[in-house]
Amino acid sequence: MRADAFILPRLRSSRNFLSFSTYTFRIIFMFNIGFSGWGVCVAYLILGSVVTKVKMVEKEKLGIAEKRQGRRGPENVWGSAAVAMICAILSYVYPYLSNLFELGFVASLATKLSDTFQSEIGKAYGKTAYLVTTLKRVERGTEGAVSLEGTLAGIVGSLLLSTIAVLSGLAINSIEAFAACNLAAFLACYCESYIGATYQSDKFAWLSNELVNLINCAIGAFISIVLYTFFTSSKFGAVVGASSAF
């Protein structure tokens, strides 16, 4: 009997696969970034779970609540943390670039938490929602819709996680890194809204929420590294220094 014929059906059991996924990420994070990295991940999970339950009953009545009352499945774990896992591994493999990959690690989770805050608070308290591609008014919970309340909540979410990362001793130890992380999360969330409004339809049925989450996190990590590199470049520093002289 082939090993995969025995193992895979058991891993596909949602609870078993969730436990396996969580254990895998915990080992990888702790080995490559340490307890601080795992602590940031735990903070992300707690904050995301709390905000998901805000006005859950009302959102369920409207049909816009998360599945399973916000309880995370293995597909959510991989969609949200796969990019962070890759950044954690790269920070260990390339120690001379660890500050960049640790920034990408935090930014990917801050992006996802910002997206969760933006979505859940927007669905709960958003008074007016607009489709990000056309700026037309739409119902709360529409794919690609944004609201002022949700946008502000998203900013709070990324600020919370990046602050926790600072206190944990990860490489968000400068104004440039902190700004890059939060600006990247903001921009990535709007990219995610655009993807949702444009491509998440019957025509692209394979583009699941989990895959969009993974893309969103990757965009956030990438933009944070690019922005940090730009902010810390000598030319940008010279411009800032010259402007401050006035």
Side-chain angles (χ1 to χ4, degrees):
M1 184 178 182
R2 289 173 51 187
D4 59 350
F6 176 78
I7 295 173
L8 290 180
R10 287 157 178 77
L11 286 182
R12 291 191 184 108
S13 168
S14 181
R15 182 172 296 179
N16 289 342
F17 195 27
L18 178 60
S19 299
F20 168 78
S21 301
T22 304
Y23 181 77
T24 299
F25 283 116
R26 181 171 61 194
I27 293 300
I28 291 173
F29 290 158
M30 291 180 67
F31 179 78
N32 292 283
I33 293 188
F35 285 100
S36 57
W38 177 242
V40 170
C41 188
V42 170
Y44 154 76
L45 291 171
I46 293 173
L47 290 170
S49 296
V50 169
V51 78
T52 299
K53 295 187 182 302
V54 172
K55 286 196 172 184
M56 175 61 74
V57 174
E58 181 178 329
K59 288 185 286 190
E60 285 180 330
K61 289 179 180 178
L62 294 172
I64 57 176
E66 288 294 310
K67 295 180 293 184
R68 301 185 297 264
Q69 293 190 321
R71 290 190 296 272
R72 299 303 190 256
E75 71 279 7
N76 304 117
V77 173
W78 284 92
S80 302
V83 174
M85 177 185 70
I86 293 171
C87 289
I89 293 171
L90 290 175
S91 72
Y92 180 80
V93 175
Y94 302 103
Y96 54 93
L97 296 174
S98 62
N99 63 322
L100 292 180
F101 290 123
E102 283 188 16
L103 172 60
F105 169 87
V106 176
S108 70
L109 295 176
T111 296
K112 184 63 191 77
L113 187 64
S114 178
D115 174 56
T116 302
F117 269 60
Q118 181 172 316
S119 174
E120 297 302 328
I121 297 301
K123 288 187 288 188
Y125 296 103
K127 294 178 180 175
T128 307
Y130 299 91
L131 199 62
V132 73
T133 51
T134 62
L135 297 182
K136 291 182 178 179
R137 289 185 63 170
V138 292
E139 294 294 326
R140 288 181 292 169
T142 302
E143 288 292 349
V146 296
S147 66
L148 175 61
E149 295 83 358
T151 298
L152 293 175
I155 294 171
V156 171
S158 65
L159 285 171
L160 280 173
L161 199 72
S162 54
T163 300
I164 291 170
V166 171
L167 298 175
S168 299
L170 290 177
I172 314 294
N173 51 7
S174 66
I175 295 176
E176 293 87 353
F178 192 82
C181 178
N182 287 283
L183 184 55
F186 178 81
L187 294 173
C189 283
Y190 272 85
C191 289
E192 191 265 355
S193 294
Y194 178 84
I195 293 171
T198 307
Y199 299 108
Q200 279 195 284
S201 62
D202 293 337
K203 187 177 178 180
F204 298 93
W206 53 270
L207 194 61
S208 65
N209 286 334
E210 291 71 37
L211 181 55
V212 172
N213 286 339
L214 190 148
I215 295 170
N216 184 29
C217 293
I219 293 172
F222 176 75
I223 292 178
S224 71
I225 292 173
V226 171
L227 286 176
Y228 177 74
T229 302
F230 174 71
F231 289 159
T232 55
S233 66
S234 56
K235 290 183 179 180
F236 180 77
V239 172
V240 173
S243 62
S244 63
F246 293 98

